[in-house]
Amino acid sequence: MNEFKHLPDLLLTGHWFSQLPVGLRDALLAMAQLRRLAPGQRLFRRGDPPCGLYAVLEGAMRVGSIGESGKEALLVLVEPPHWFGEISLFDGQPRTHDAFAEGQVTLLHLPQEPLLALLEREPRYWREIALLMSQKLRLAFIALEEMSLLPAPQRLARRLLMIAEGYGALSGQRRVLHLAQEPLAMMLAISRQTTNQILKELEAQGAVRLTYGEIEILDPNLLKRAAQGKTP
């Protein structure tokens, strides 16, 4: 149990887990297992059977899909203390996307069968799981709307702000994002060159600072203006 003693503090920094009833938190931790992945290791692939719910404790998970040509469509990088995998918990259907480790990753795993057994005994807890999925559904609709209506510079600035706020799941805002330009470009469905050009313009304005594999937010207000399509 020693390896679990630090988990409540870490998980409580996330909005979803912090809002759970204490009894549900304790039940989830009681069934939890730690799982570690090497860089690039696959957790599951689209079409795999359901295997439970996961929280990222260290590192990040790439969630997306890889086409027949080998081209990757990256939906999101899941970072601590975010949870993922709840869709297959609801419908029992195969996984909808691929999940691979971005660097060394430590996960908290809630296996499918014990979790379903808990929800069978305590059906009132289904609402809490539904809240986890509804938050992601809301974000998906926002992303689709932005893809259709907003130019790339606004979409990029908005995505940086969302990542800094943990997609609404963190209580504060991070200033340093461990995010390379290539995965950011893939998440926004724009070219690597366009991403670099927009980031360079934001850096020239004093909104961000670019370093290898990181984007530091220097002035959140300037970044918010860019997200609104306003010039500095």
Side-chain angles (χ1 to χ4, degrees):
M1 289 296 294
N2 286 338
E3 60 184 350
F4 287 90
K5 64 183 180 180
H6 72 291
L7 291 181
D9 289 341
L10 172 62
L11 294 173
L12 286 171
T13 63
H15 179 76
W16 180 73
F17 191 82
S18 69
Q19 300 299 310
L20 294 180
V22 174
L24 178 55
R25 285 188 218 159
D26 292 342
L28 295 180
L29 290 176
M31 73 175 69
Q33 304 170 1
L34 284 182
R35 182 164 180 182
R36 294 182 172 88
L37 302 179
Q41 184 176 348
R42 175 174 63 91
L43 177 65
F44 54 75
R45 195 185 302 276
R46 172 182 284 182
D48 282 355
C51 51
L53 190 62
Y54 296 88
V56 180
L57 304 178
E58 297 175 328
M61 294 295 299
R62 298 172 74 101
V63 177
S65 61
I66 300 176
E68 294 182 359
S69 65
K71 183 178 180 180
E72 181 181 5
L74 179 62
L75 296 181
V76 68
L77 283 174
V78 186
E79 298 179 291
H82 288 74
W83 295 79
F84 66 100
E86 68 279 0
I87 293 177
S88 292
L89 182 66
F90 271 92
D91 60 15
Q93 296 299 306
R95 292 295 186 185
T96 58
H97 295 91
D98 307 312
F100 290 88
E102 178 84 355
Q104 296 284 346
V105 172
T106 303
L107 300 171
L108 189 72
H109 180 206
L110 307 181
Q112 184 90 350
E113 293 308 318
L115 186 50
L116 286 175
L118 169 65
L119 294 169
E120 180 71 21
R121 296 192 305 270
E122 303 286 353
R124 69 185 188 276
Y125 289 153
W126 271 113
R127 179 182 182 276
E128 313 303 330
I129 308 298
L131 288 174
L132 180 63
M133 189 164 68
S134 66
Q135 180 196 29
K136 295 182 182 177
L137 184 60
R138 184 184 297 272
L139 292 170
F141 282 136
I142 291 172
L144 286 172
E145 179 182 338
E146 292 181 351
M147 189 78 70
S148 299
L149 299 178
L150 298 181
Q154 276 186 259
R155 288 195 285 122
L156 186 147
R158 289 191 179 206
R159 182 59 66 99
L160 292 181
L161 289 169
M162 291 177 69
I163 294 172
E165 296 167 355
Y167 293 94
L170 299 178
S171 56
Q173 185 180 73
R174 292 182 297 161
R175 288 299 185 102
V176 178
L177 311 181
H178 302 287
L179 178 66
Q181 294 185 27
E182 183 178 358
L184 177 60
M186 285 192 287
M187 283 190 283
L188 295 169
I190 58 179
S191 71
R192 169 70 171 74
Q193 292 77 12
T194 299
T195 299
N196 180 261
Q197 179 182 351
I198 296 170
L199 287 172
K200 288 292 187 182
E201 291 173 355
L202 290 172
E203 186 174 44
Q205 295 166 13
V208 303
R209 177 187 293 126
L210 307 177
T211 56
Y212 182 75
E214 292 183 347
I215 301 170
E216 181 181 0
I217 299 175
L218 299 179
D219 192 326
N221 290 326
L222 279 178
L223 193 56
K224 288 175 183 177
R225 288 182 62 83
Q228 296 166 358
K230 298 178 181 178
T231 56

